[in-house]
Amino acid sequence: MKISQKLTTSFLGVAVLMGTIGSLAVTLQSQVSQKRAVEEAKYVAETIAYFVSEHLEKDLAGKNKSLTAVDLERLQHNITRLHALKKRDIEIIDRNGIIIADVVAADVGQHFADDEHGEVRQTLKDGIPRTFIEVSNDYPQGIRQIVVQLKNDESGEIFGVMLLEYTNLHNEIAIATQKSMMAILSITCVTSLLAVALGYFISASILQRIEELRQASLNIAQGDLDYRVEMESKDEIGDLAISFNKMANHLQESKTELVKTNQKLVSEIVERQQAETELHQALQNLRQMQAQLIQTEKMSSLGQLVAGIAHEINNPINFIYGNLVLTQGYTQDLLDIVSLYQAHFPEPGEKILAKVETIDLEYLIEDLPKMLASMKIGANRIREIVLSLRNFSRLDEAELKAVDIHEGIDSTLLILQNRLKAKSNHSEIEIIKEYGQLPLVECYAGQLNQVFMNIINNAIDALDEFNQQRSSAEIQAKPSTIRIRTEVIHGEWIAIAIADNGGGISQEIISKLFDPFFTTKPIGKGTGLGLSISYQIVTDKHYGKIWCNSAPGKETEFIVQIPIKQQLPAGKIRNKELKT
């Protein structure tokens, strides 16, 4: 609200308050006047009643307390004279309710019938004066009546009551009160108009200067610190204008200092931000390098251990495998000799027969070649496992070399064979191979096998977690599978796609899959480094690409693309868009 409105409202409020007080005063005066009229009427009525009571007492003294015709005529004469003097209706009613005197002579002797609410009867009963308004055909507007008792002062006996009209007295007082009310209302209206006019002129006298100060404040707030107020009045607003100009001068000086300080601070902040960015990047690189070194060291140690175990197992298994061939031949020769002895000596001695029966020679002849054959198959299986371990570790191929990608994938699957088999708490995972015709690919075979190991391991974990949420019937209806697909792209690249039919991954998680230390596995089951290191091996070491396609409820597919030969500049390969 503006100051002019506030001042006008304040003065108007004062005027309204004065009018309210005046109205209350008028109302109070009206009530007092009403009471005063009643009291005056009561006084007059009681005075008249007193004299009437004395005349009645004298007339009734020594008699049978009944008025004669002369007494009634005298009483009627007095009432008529009093009515002629005061212009007021007067009625005298005895205690039986009979009118014994009235300004209307025709009503004398009749029973009083206008006591609609019983005021006359109540006064005859308890002697308490009462006022009421009598409405009739002759007085449609009603006349005001007061009823008082006529009684013996000594005995307190009530002779009757007297009705006195006090309408004229009430109207006189009401007219006087109305005049007072009109005077007060007129004064209130004039005072209100004067208050509003005074508020308007006072506000108008100061509003212009305040508006100048307000406009100056807006200019200062909008940055115009050169704006000044020109005001020469020697009142409080003039002092405020002087203070405002001083403030504007200080703000101008402060702004100049602030601009200089701000420029210096911005420069320092930029330098600090650059330093913090470099430090953060260095720290991030250090953490990634540290994690990669730890993981590389682990894989190197694991590779050396696997290679050592494979080498140690390879020698004795080769010895066993080579001797099994000879043992199978020697055993067959011995069995042939036994057959010749049986043919040429059909009647052996009792001891020989007993021994033949003890060792069950026929079963031995039948089962021994099978046992040697199974031992040969087992030894050959061990040789294949040892070869796969050697292929996976690739310690002898640490440099860039053309290798068979399918051989590395198969070696990885052989190592993970135990996790793919069905167990009590783990359903079987079927491997579906969709191998294309791939040439030998130049790569770091050991590191690429590590990528395959990480992706397939994560696929197995995802299927295990998904199967825990499914029933046996659902697992039988939709068995767990890992599909491995390879193909050549544009004649220069190969793509390896590894997909599982688990529960899928949301886009929010996909965007963080290759971040260092990000993992969705429980604490203790994942480090968050596998896919991060795989990303670095594919992109930094082989200048390729790796990404994930998935959605909740759909299969999750990791796609690795690397060039067949590594002679192209890294930047061109890394930025080249590829499509399968």
Side-chain angles (χ1 to χ4, degrees), residues 131-193:
T131 60
F132 63 95
I133 299 177
E134 178 184 342
V135 181
S136 64
N137 294 332
D138 297 332
Y139 305 103
Q141 300 298 325
I143 59 173
R144 296 181 178 272
Q145 299 273 21
I146 182 168
V147 55
V148 297
Q149 73 277 17
L150 303 174
K151 65 178 179 179
N152 189 331
D153 289 338
E154 294 181 0
S155 63
E157 181 182 3
I158 299 176
F159 304 135
V161 295
M162 182 188 72
L163 271 69
L164 174 66
E165 179 192 1
Y166 69 98
T167 304
N168 294 337
L169 177 62
H170 178 272
N171 290 341
E172 290 174 1
I173 294 175
I175 291 172
T177 302
Q178 187 175 9
K179 291 180 180 179
S180 299
M181 185 183 298
M182 292 301 296
I184 293 174
L185 291 176
S186 299
I187 294 172
T188 302
C189 291
V190 172
T191 305
S192 300
L193 292 175

Side-chain angles (χ1 to χ4, degrees), residues 310-326 379-380 382-384 386-387 390:
H311 178 73
E312 293 298 328
I313 293 176
N314 189 52
N315 288 335
I317 201 63
N318 285 337
F319 173 76
I320 294 172
Y321 184 82
N323 289 331
L324 276 176
V325 176
L326 297 177
N380 189 49
I382 295 174
R383 290 181 66 197
E384 291 177 356
V386 170
L387 180 61
R390 293 184 61 187

